[in-house]
Amino acid sequence: MRVPTPSRWPRRFLLVALFTLVAWPAQGFQTETTAVGDRATKLRVLLRDELAHWYPAAIDTQAGGFHQNFARDWTARPDDNKFQVYQARMTWTAAAFAEFEPSRRDEFLVYARHGIAFLDDVMRDREHGGFHWILDRDGKLDARLGDEKHAYGLSFVIYAASKVRAVGGDDRALKVARDAFDWLDAHAHDAQHGGYIEAIRRDGTAITSWDPKAPIHKRTDRLGVYYGYKTMNSHIHLLEALAELSRVDDRPIVKERLREVFLIVRDKIAVEPGALNLYLTRDWRAIPAHDSFGHDVETAYLLVEAAEALHIADDQKTWSVARSLVDHALDWGWDDQHGGFYDKGDSFATPAYDLTKVWWTEAEGLNALAVMDRKFGKETDRYAKAFARQWEFIERSLLDLEHGGWFAETARGGKLIGDGAKANQWKANYHTARAMMNVSRLLQGTRS
């Protein structure tokens, strides 16, 4: 199936028109019903244009799964490996778009099921259970890549398969989601302190300590964290995965684990004045680290989403924590001059020190600002104003007007960093597509 790529002139015209419509005035989302509908429609068109570059071009008809490397002009580059996180994210996005755009449902369910088949047939560890973190480009274990598993990667298998089940009703997808959850829960759930041990040997043995005599590369896990420690990054993605799973799996253990991880993220990982502890001991004592502004705004949304899954959508404490994360990012990680969120800095006392603008941070920021304005727009125009500036920066600096898609990184003022490649094993379409779908729904006052 071939999806035609729009020509260069229509794309430039589209983006200029979209910016004009989306960058609304300070009154917020709730003004001028017709204009809001137009903005949502234009955002849908941009989303369709974005995904037309990924599907079906990324379908790997030989090795299975999805191609992971594309140049700036969307020329396919040789894949280095098959990476669990990328493969699952591409699967989730296809299923989410099938739900979002009913006219494309059948087409995108084909792509989503292609991804599920790869996770099930190739990335599943049939000898020891669970799913492999990484395989070689042909889908085989490679000693040079190692065979350890990780809670972070398994969370995305759960997330993707749950979404395919929710949208397509596939029994196979439900089995993949349950198998990934059950294996992780059996081997890595921390019954003593809550949450999950993150690094796991192939045979299912949780790795709870590191050897101080070993070289650093042998002390650390798949995320570069010392063995035995817990992270914000893994647990916020476990939170979104469990929220998704809870919609298709009504076993009590799923809701129990969702609530457990939700409270850990909200009450232990998130702290005043609105930052996240990145690294923590097994018993949840914080390890000194920087503040990641992108994760702050992303977690604000994920807490709100999880609260809905737990049927406490109006919980005041959750909204207070979520809002504090966005407010803090605006206070300490926001670029007043150019718009956009910086990558990282201290929690307070000094200005942000890494002024890089990263595609996923800006996409998640757009979504979080829309969520906050939807909830608090009658109290303040802060979020609507920031949203307009955020979109202006994205449109000016992160959207590739020539070839389509999102660039990975820019400097503070918007100068491109790198060669503009559109995909690698860590850069898929899940952050951008999710943000565009969610913001479009918020503009229209609907939910998925």
Side-chain angles (χ1 to χ4, degrees):
M1 188 183 309
R2 182 178 181 274
V3 179
T5 301
S7 64
R8 183 179 303 176
W9 183 85
R11 182 181 296 114
R12 288 180 178 275
F13 178 80
L14 165 65
L15 292 176
V16 171
L18 177 63
F19 168 66
T20 302
L21 288 167
V22 173
W24 53 78
Q27 292 95 315
F29 291 113
Q30 307 305 318
T31 60
E32 302 182 36
T33 302
T34 301
V36 168
D38 289 343
R39 294 164 191 149
T41 298
K42 294 298 183 181
L43 198 56
R44 283 175 176 264
V45 174
L46 178 61
L47 173 63
R48 289 196 295 268
D49 181 59
E50 161 84 354
L51 294 187
H53 292 289
W54 293 93
Y55 307 97
I59 298 291
D60 187 341
T61 58
Q62 296 182 347
F66 300 97
H67 290 300
Q68 298 180 173
N69 289 311
F70 287 93
R72 177 177 178 177
D73 65 358
W74 294 97
T75 301
R77 294 172 170 173
D79 290 330
D80 301 314
N81 55 61
K82 291 293 186 180
F83 182 40
Q84 180 185 64
V85 175
Y86 180 96
Q87 299 297 322
R89 284 174 167 175
M90 291 287 288
T91 302
W92 181 89
T93 300
F97 188 69
E99 177 183 54
F100 178 81
E101 191 63 72
S103 66
R104 308 288 293 281
R105 182 179 185 276
D106 292 344
E107 174 192 351
F108 273 78
L109 274 177
V110 169
Y111 306 146
R113 287 166 177 154
H114 174 83
I116 287 294
F118 184 76
L119 293 173
D120 195 19
D121 292 339
V122 180
M123 301 217 77
R124 178 188 288 276
D125 185 344
R126 299 194 178 279
E127 182 178 355
H128 295 286
F131 295 80
H132 297 294
W133 170 268
I134 195 168
L135 300 170
D136 70 15
R137 69 178 69 183
D138 297 317
K140 307 296 182 184
L141 277 171
D142 186 333
R144 294 170 297 179
L145 300 173
D147 61 4
E148 285 179 9
K149 296 162 185 170
H150 201 284
Y152 180 93
L154 288 164
S155 74
F156 281 99
V157 176
I158 298 167
Y159 188 55
S162 298
K163 193 65 171 179
V164 177
R165 168 66 174 188
V167 179
D170 299 46
D171 290 341
R172 186 182 199 180
L174 179 60
K175 184 176 185 338
V176 169
R178 281 180 164 173
D179 288 352
F181 167 78
D182 290 347
W183 191 89
L184 177 67
D185 202 63
H187 295 284
H189 179 252
D190 188 343
Q192 181 178 2
H193 300 292
Y196 289 84
I197 307 299
E198 300 192 11
I200 312 139
R201 293 189 179 92
R202 185 186 174 194
D203 66 3
T205 304
I207 307 175
T208 59
S209 62
W210 54 280
D211 181 0
K213 298 179 181 178
I216 289 179
H217 73 277
K218 290 188 176 295
R219 302 179 199 172
T220 56
D221 66 14
R222 294 294 195 176
L223 296 185
V225 177
Y226 278 12
Y227 290 117
Y229 287 86
K230 294 172 179 173
T231 68
M232 167 276 295
N233 205 5
S234 291
H235 281 80
I236 67 168
H237 291 298
L238 284 164
L239 178 64
E240 70 180 343
L242 292 170
E244 199 78 84
L245 180 63
S246 73
R247 299 183 178 101
V248 297
D249 187 344
D250 60 1
R251 292 179 296 169
I253 189 63
V254 174
K255 190 60 67 73
E256 180 182 335
R257 293 292 187 257
L258 170 59
R259 181 174 294 279
E260 176 184 313
V261 173
F262 170 77
L263 293 175
I264 286 169
V265 172
R266 192 191 69 180
D267 300 341
K268 296 181 184 295
I269 293 176
V271 292
E272 294 181 352
L276 299 172
N277 290 313
L278 268 65
Y279 311 118
L280 306 103
T281 62
R282 183 173 173 180
D283 60 354
W284 301 106
R285 288 172 291 132
I287 305 298
H290 63 272
D291 187 6
S292 170
F293 302 115
H295 286 110
D296 291 347
V297 294
E298 181 181 18
T299 300
Y301 165 72
L302 295 180
L303 282 171
V304 170
E305 180 186 53
E308 290 183 355
L310 288 166
H311 307 294
I312 53 169
D314 295 322
D315 181 68
Q316 184 175 356
K317 182 174 182 179
T318 300
W319 276 106
S320 178
V321 172
R323 187 178 187 179
S324 75
L325 291 170
V326 177
D327 285 349
H328 184 266
L330 286 171
D331 288 341
W332 294 95
W334 175 254
D335 185 347
D336 280 327
Q337 181 178 353
H338 302 287
F341 290 97
Y342 299 129
D343 188 33
K344 62 177 70 76
D346 289 332
S347 296
F348 48 71
T350 60
Y353 54 76
D354 186 340
L355 308 187
T356 308
K357 309 280 182 70
V358 185
W359 97 98
W360 71 264
T361 295
E362 308 314 324
E364 294 293 350
L366 193 75
N367 182 40
L369 290 167
V371 169
M372 289 300 119
D373 186 78
R374 183 75 176 180
K375 180 69 173 178
F376 302 109
K378 292 182 179 179
E379 300 176 17
T380 177
D381 63 1
R382 184 185 197 188
Y383 308 115
K385 286 181 175 179
F387 183 101
R389 295 294 310 283
Q390 178 75 350
W391 178 255
E392 181 183 356
F393 179 82
I394 290 170
E395 190 271 343
R396 183 179 66 247
S397 301
L398 280 173
L399 297 181
D400 186 342
L401 301 186
E402 183 174 2
H403 298 291
W406 291 56
F407 295 125
E409 293 183 345
T410 74
R412 180 191 176 197
K415 183 179 179 181
L416 179 64
I417 297 174
D419 64 0
K422 296 297 162 45
N424 58 51
Q425 70 177 52
W426 283 105
K427 186 180 185 294
N429 51 28
Y430 129 91
H431 290 288
T432 53
R434 183 172 70 181
M436 288 187 281
M437 286 186 279
N438 286 349
V439 172
S440 179
R441 288 187 180 111
L442 286 167
L443 285 169
Q444 293 181 315
T446 62
R447 294 183 179 178
S448 59

